[in-house]
Every structure is written in structure tokens, then in C-alpha cells.
Amino acid sequence: LDYNYVDLEQRAFPDYEPFGVQEMIDTYALSARYLYRYTRPNPRPMIITTARSCPYKCTFCVHQTPVIKYRARTIENVFEELAMMHSKYQFNVLIIYDELFSLKKDRLLDFSKAVLKGRRELGWDFDWTFQTHASAAFDKETLDLAREAGCYLFSYGVESASQTVLDSMQKKTKVP
């Protein structure tokens, strides 16, 4: 099988309807309250995946297969999917399921600007959270813009504070 979908931009957005997504958004938040800290009294969470695979080869990870290349969608393509999903499902919490979403500072900046544009032009009203790699470097300007755009939480994948363990996992990160 070839899992290297050459151009993610040409793939259709996921169709969540067969899985009863509307009912999940309406009721799932109550059962997931302990998984996420929500900013809304009546959370309506939705997920989005903005990339596939991973460029790293950590020994414990499902993405260590060398034949699958890391591919990230453009922010414009992500914006298009968000516009469709927000119009259809009126979610108020967005969970970005990409461990490397903000590894590059420009990606987080561009996403934050796109969300602010969506708020102004499309009436978006949602807060969001993302995961990131331990080696991601942020500056105050980037984090301030993300917060202004509704980011309320991000998490780091810190697997160990031992350099020996990190090296054995081929993490390519350093304890400092």
C-alpha cells in the first residue's frame, strides 16, 4: 500500500456524518470533560488534522515507518475545512490533532492570523488547543497572537527528562 498521498490539498475533507458527528458534538463533551479542559460552559468540541505522518523516527512511535513521508496541509486548505465545519457544526472548541502542528513558528502565526480572519469575516466563535514537539521554540509575539486568536492551551510531548532515555528513543531532543 502507498500511504504517501502526494498532495493532501487534493484529498476531500473527511465526511464525519456516517459516524454521527452531530450527536457526538451535542453530547460527547459531557463524557470527555476529564480529557480536556474546556473554556466554554457548554463545550462543542471538534477535531482537525492538518498533517500526516512525522519526519522523526522515534523508536516507540507508529510513524517510524520510513516509507511514509511527513506532509502538512497549507493553512489556506485548513482554513477552508474549518469554514465548512464551523458552518455545518457550530463547534466552539477546536482540538488540533498534530504533534508537530507548531514546530515551525510561521505555521502557528499563519494559523492564528487565519482564525482571526475567520472571526472577522465568518463570525467564527471557538477556542482552540494544539500539541507540539518539545523542540518547538516560541516567542512572546507568537504566543500572544495565538492567545488573541483563541488558543487557550497547548501541550508538549515530553517523554523523558533523561538524555540517555531520549537518545535511546531517538527523540533528537535535548533535556535543556
Side-chain angles (χ1 to χ4, degrees):
L1 291 175
D2 181 9
Y3 295 103
N4 292 305
Y5 315 119
V6 177
D7 187 355
L8 293 178
E9 311 287 311
Q10 294 180 0
R11 299 187 65 78
F13 297 140
D15 179 6
Y16 297 109
E17 291 302 315
F19 302 100
V21 69
Q22 188 66 54
E23 183 182 3
M24 281 192 254
I25 291 172
D26 291 343
T27 61
Y28 180 76
L30 300 176
S31 64
R33 286 201 187 268
Y34 298 106
L35 296 177
Y36 295 98
R37 302 246 183 230
Y38 293 123
T39 55
R40 307 289 178 115
N42 296 303
R44 297 177 51 76
M46 188 66 185
I47 63 163
I48 192 167
T49 303
T50 66
R52 303 287 188 279
S53 195
C54 179
Y56 301 105
K57 305 295 178 226
C58 305
T59 58
F60 61 86
C61 185
V62 68
H63 295 299
Q64 66 179 317
T65 308
V67 297
I68 303 175
K69 298 174 190 164
Y70 176 70
R71 288 119 30 238
R73 295 165 49 200
T74 63
I75 295 302
E76 292 80 12
N77 183 260
V78 173
F79 181 91
E80 190 179 329
E81 182 179 359
L82 283 176
M84 181 271 301
M85 288 192 317
H86 193 266
S87 172
K88 193 170 189 174
Y89 301 117
Q90 298 83 45
F91 61 88
N92 60 17
V93 176
L94 179 68
I95 303 164
I96 301 171
Y97 276 168
D98 296 333
E99 295 89 350
L100 302 176
F101 173 71
S102 63
L103 189 58
K104 294 183 179 178
K105 181 176 86 168
D106 289 346
R107 188 161 174 82
L108 181 56
L109 281 170
D110 291 345
F111 181 81
S112 298
K113 290 175 185 175
V115 171
L116 288 169
K117 177 182 176 183
R119 287 177 186 257
R120 280 189 316 271
E121 296 177 6
L122 303 174
W124 288 358
D125 180 24
F126 63 84
D127 301 323
W128 51 281
T129 179
F130 68 94
Q131 302 167 328
T132 192
H133 196 267
S135 63
F138 301 122
D139 57 27
K140 185 165 177 4
E141 176 187 347
T142 303
L143 292 175
D144 285 346
L145 186 63
R147 182 178 174 101
E148 180 185 341
C151 180
Y152 70 96
L153 173 81
F154 66 92
S155 63
Y156 283 102
V158 180
E159 285 77 20
S160 178
S162 162
Q163 194 61 55
T164 301
V165 172
L166 289 171
D167 291 345
S168 75
M169 295 188 295
Q170 299 178 14
K171 282 298 296 177
K172 304 220 187 302
T173 56
K174 302 294 180 204
V175 170

